[in-house]
Each structure stands twice: as C-alpha cells, then as structure tokens.
Amino acid sequence: INAEYMGHLLSVYFFSIVKMSVVVTLTHSVDPRSVMEKRYALTMTIESLKNKAQTHFGTSPNLMRLQLKEATGELLAELNDDSRTLEDYKVSDGQIIHVIDLDPNAKANLIDWTDVSQVEKMTISEEDYEQREDSVRKFKQKQLDMMRAAGIQPESDRQAAKLKEDMEEWEKLANDIKVGQRCIVSPGDRKATVMYVGNVPQIKPGFFVGVKYDEPVGKNDGSVQGKRYFEACQGYGGFVRPTAVVIGDYPEDDYGVDEL
C-alpha cells in the first residue's frame, strides 16, 4: 500500500468518525460551569449521556433531566427517553445539552470551586516547618549548599554581596554629605540643596540624600508615603543615592535678574 492510498484511507476513516459523532456543550441548572465542545457518538443513548454528564457535574442520573437547546438558548426538545440516541433526537454540532438537576438540595450542596476560602488548608508553625526535612525550604537550601560546595556562586549570593557592597559605599559617602550643602545631582546635573541624609525605608534599604532642586525637576515635596523628611514645593523634592550627588560650590542661577 503506497503512502497516498494510506492517506486516503485515513482521511475516509477520520471523516466517518466525525460524521458519526457530534460536538456539543454541556450546561447545568445549578452549577455555573459549562463543558465546552464535547464529542459524542450519535449512537450514544440518553442514558449513557447522563452517565457522562454525572462525571462533570456530579448529579445522579436518576435525578437528572436533559434538554436539547440551540446555541442561542432556544429549547428544541426534552431528552426524556433514556433508550433513544442522540441521532434519534437529531442532535447536531454546536448545540447545547442542558442538565436540569432535580435534587432539591442541589444548590445547597454545590461547591464553589473558585472560592478558595472553602478549601481546607493545612497550617504548620514556623518552628515545625523548620524541622521538616522534606520541605521546599530545605530542598532549596540543599541545592544552594551543593552549588557552593562545587564552587558555584548562586545568583542570590551574588545579589546579596552586591547589595552589601552598595550599602557600605552609600553609608561611606553619606558620612561626608551635610544638610545645607549645595550639590549637583545625576543624571542631568540638576542643581540642588541637601535637605536630608539618612534612611528612607518607604523607598528601599540603605542611605539616601534628600534634596531640594532649584527647578521643578523632582518627584515629590520632601515627603514619601505620608512621612515628611523636609519641606519643599511639590516637584522640587527628591531622594537619591549618595553616589548620584556631587557636593560643591554651585550657586543658584539668577536667570539674569541683575540685568533687569
């Protein structure tokens, strides 16, 4: 058998499967979820379809009534004969099989799978978790220890080392910066006056220099998240790292006032 003939046979086979089956959507009278594009054989009986629907919605087949609807919601038929097939009811692609749950307690027993508050959660104390050898924390720690033993510096170690170096540099530079000094701030060589030197935990760890710019090139008024560090008009205040500050004799521009 050549490849072309084999391909023809496969095409005929798959076409026959499609022709002898139907693709429908399952919906439920209580459960808001729907089951999209389910393919069923046209020879499937209503009784078998109820058993299939039970696996999706949990409704017992003997407490289930099925309806056939158009995709628009228009009712086409009551599928009330368990011995008849989908073909008998002329079910076609794109239609809806709607499951009506006859259990009077169905709504009360419905589990909302999207509500995680209903899911029972395991809780464990920090001390007990630390003692467990099969925890994710211990697994990660073992991986890091193996990398270090092999002479490989983990990314977390490199980041921590870089932050430590930066913080030491910021503190060293901050010790030489005093409130009231004039400076220029990078980028942009913006002239400013030092108004604050110290930590600003509302932003990030480490030393910052609070400055009042000569022009409205800043981002705040000397406060961060309601905490005031110095006074400035809105747009004239800013907080930068000490590495961005150069102290010097930088007089304020008079913008040609003497010529007026």
Side-chain angles (χ1 to χ4, degrees), residues 149-160:
I152 303 172
Q153 187 180 33
E155 180 63 25
S156 58
D157 285 3
R158 290 194 291 270
Q159 292 176 346

Side-chain angles (χ1 to χ4, degrees), residues 8-251:
H8 172 71
L9 289 178
L10 289 173
S11 297
V12 172
Y13 173 71
F14 286 118
F15 178 75
S16 64
I17 291 177
V18 171
K19 190 175 181 181
M20 294 187 297
S21 61
V22 65
V23 176
V24 297
T25 293
L26 300 180
T27 61
H28 194 271
S29 60
V30 176
D31 196 328
R33 297 174 300 162
S34 58
V35 182
M36 308 294 292
E37 298 184 348
K38 293 295 293 183
R39 183 177 294 278
Y40 298 116
L42 285 169
T43 56
M44 176 179 285
T45 64
I46 299 305
E47 181 181 11
S48 297
L49 181 59
K50 287 181 177 180
N51 290 327
K52 294 287 186 181
Q54 182 185 22
T55 65
H56 297 296
F57 302 115
T59 303
S60 176
N62 62 341
L63 292 174
M64 186 185 297
R65 192 172 88 242
L66 301 186
Q67 293 180 330
L68 176 64
K69 296 183 177 183
E70 285 287 9
T72 58
E74 178 188 355
L75 178 63
L76 298 176
E78 295 283 347
L79 310 183
N80 48 21
D81 188 339
D82 286 354
S83 64
R84 296 183 68 182
T85 66
L86 298 182
E87 186 174 22
D88 293 335
Y89 281 106
K90 296 182 174 53
V91 178
S92 60
D93 288 340
Q95 292 180 337
I96 295 172
I97 303 294
H98 183 59
V99 178
I100 298 178
D101 196 323
L102 303 177
D103 183 354
N105 299 315
K107 191 169 185 179
N109 295 332
L110 179 66
I111 297 176
D112 183 1
W113 299 104
T114 64
D115 184 2
V116 296
S117 67
Q118 298 187 34
V119 180
E120 185 178 355
K121 303 174 182 64
M122 185 188 79
T123 58
I124 185 172
S125 68
E126 179 66 24
E127 293 76 12
D128 290 341
Y129 184 74
E130 186 62 34
Q131 295 300 318
R132 296 190 61 153
E133 293 297 326
D134 58 346
S135 67
V136 174
R137 182 184 300 172
K138 284 292 178 68
F139 173 77
K140 290 183 175 180
Q141 187 58 52
K142 288 176 181 177
Q143 296 298 310
L144 292 174
D145 292 343
M146 290 172 61
M147 292 176 67
R148 295 182 183 117
I152 303 172
Q153 187 180 33
E155 180 63 25
S156 58
D157 285 3
R158 290 194 291 270
Q159 292 176 346
K162 178 66 167 59
L163 179 59
K164 183 175 182 295
E165 291 176 3
D166 288 344
M167 293 186 72
E168 289 175 351
E169 182 182 10
W170 297 332
E171 183 175 7
K172 181 179 179 180
L173 293 173
N175 288 333
D176 295 326
I177 300 175
K178 309 299 180 186
V179 171
Q181 290 181 317
R182 293 286 294 169
C183 64
I184 55 173
V185 179
S186 299
D189 291 340
R190 295 164 290 173
K191 290 184 179 181
T193 300
V194 176
M195 303 296 291
Y196 172 81
V197 181
N199 291 291
V200 185
Q202 294 84 358
I203 303 177
K204 285 182 179 180
F207 277 79
F208 281 90
V209 179
V211 297
K212 181 168 71 174
Y213 294 105
D214 292 357
E215 299 179 69
V217 293
K219 295 183 178 180
N220 54 59
D221 63 352
S223 64
V224 181
Q225 297 179 14
K227 169 68 174 179
R228 180 158 299 283
Y229 290 89
F230 60 90
E231 295 288 342
C233 294
Q234 181 60 43
Y236 282 81
F239 294 89
V240 297
R241 292 298 190 186
T243 48
V245 175
V246 178
I247 300 298
D249 183 15
Y250 302 106

